[in-house]
Amino acid sequence: LAELHRRSQRHLWLAIVSCAALVPCVVWILLRLRRKTTAVRDRSKKRKRIGRLAEQLRALLQATPTPPHWSYLSEVGARLRAYLVALFGIEPEYTGGSGKQFMETIATHLPGECVDSLGTILADIDNSVALELEHHQDLDRLQSEILKLVDLVSRNGAAHG
């Protein structure tokens, strides 16, 4: 009888130790699952935000702007910068400054075929805003170039992201 009691005590202690070891394992697994689902949710939110920014920019570019065009181009430039910053995960404080400064910040993140085009677009926007042009001479061409750039960057961003 004493031997049976000792065995049951041993089995009880083994069960307690096993359960105590199981709890941290379960907690670790649950934490990993939570991190994974949080990361997936965050990526999904980021993709939705980027898609929303792209659609807002496209809608703005497809609308017929009213004078003064420099004000319209200022808004287009701000939205273009916000879109690129969100797409490439650049710190938001780098969106300001001249087009040249912005290009220096973002050039390494852009696909090679976009760098020259974006530099030209930003310079054109900067000039129009600085001169406060009431009517931009080639606004349709500029809108078209920006739309092409957004489409190209969207495809490349989706391929890499």
Side-chain angles (χ1 to χ4, degrees):
L1 191 61
E3 179 66 28
L4 190 58
H5 182 66
R6 203 172 32 249
R7 280 188 188 175
S8 66
Q9 285 285 340
R10 189 173 353 142
H11 290 299
L12 178 64
W13 280 109
L14 285 174
I16 290 171
V17 169
S18 297
C19 287
L22 182 65
V23 169
C25 292
V26 169
V27 169
W28 180 77
I29 289 169
L30 291 174
L31 286 174
R32 288 198 38 117
L33 286 172
R34 183 168 184 223
R35 282 189 201 131
K36 189 180 236 181
T37 56
T38 302
V40 168
R41 191 177 329 120
D42 290 347
R43 281 192 303 269
S44 177
K45 283 181 183 178
K46 181 182 176 188
R47 277 194 301 270
K48 286 178 184 177
R49 181 173 177 267
I50 289 168
R52 193 173 48 251
L53 287 169
E55 288 307 311
Q56 289 172 351
L57 182 57
R58 284 185 183 105
L60 183 62
L61 289 166
Q62 292 168 348
T64 305
T66 57
H69 288 169
W70 68 268
S71 177
Y72 166 77
L73 288 173
S74 175
E75 177 69 19
V76 167
R79 288 192 186 206
L80 177 61
R81 288 175 187 225
Y83 169 69
L84 294 172
V85 163
L87 182 65
F88 294 112
I90 299 169
E91 293 298 320
E93 65 259 14
Y94 296 118
T95 60
S98 69
K100 185 176 180 180
Q101 283 178 310
F102 183 70
M103 277 302 297
E104 289 172 2
T105 301
I106 199 170
T108 58
H109 300 280
L110 289 172
E113 62 270 17
C114 298
V115 174
D116 291 336
S117 176
L118 181 60
T120 304
I121 289 168
L122 291 174
D124 206 357
I125 290 172
D126 281 353
N127 290 336
S128 295
V129 171
L131 297 173
E132 294 185 3
L133 293 178
E134 195 70 23
H135 296 281
H136 189 278
Q137 294 174 0
D138 211 0
L139 188 60
D140 291 336
R141 177 198 53 81
L142 184 59
Q143 287 173 312
S144 175
E145 282 183 25
I146 297 171
L147 281 170
K148 287 178 194 172
L149 177 78
V150 169
D151 290 339
L152 182 62
V153 169
S154 293
R155 283 193 303 272
N156 285 326
H160 294 115

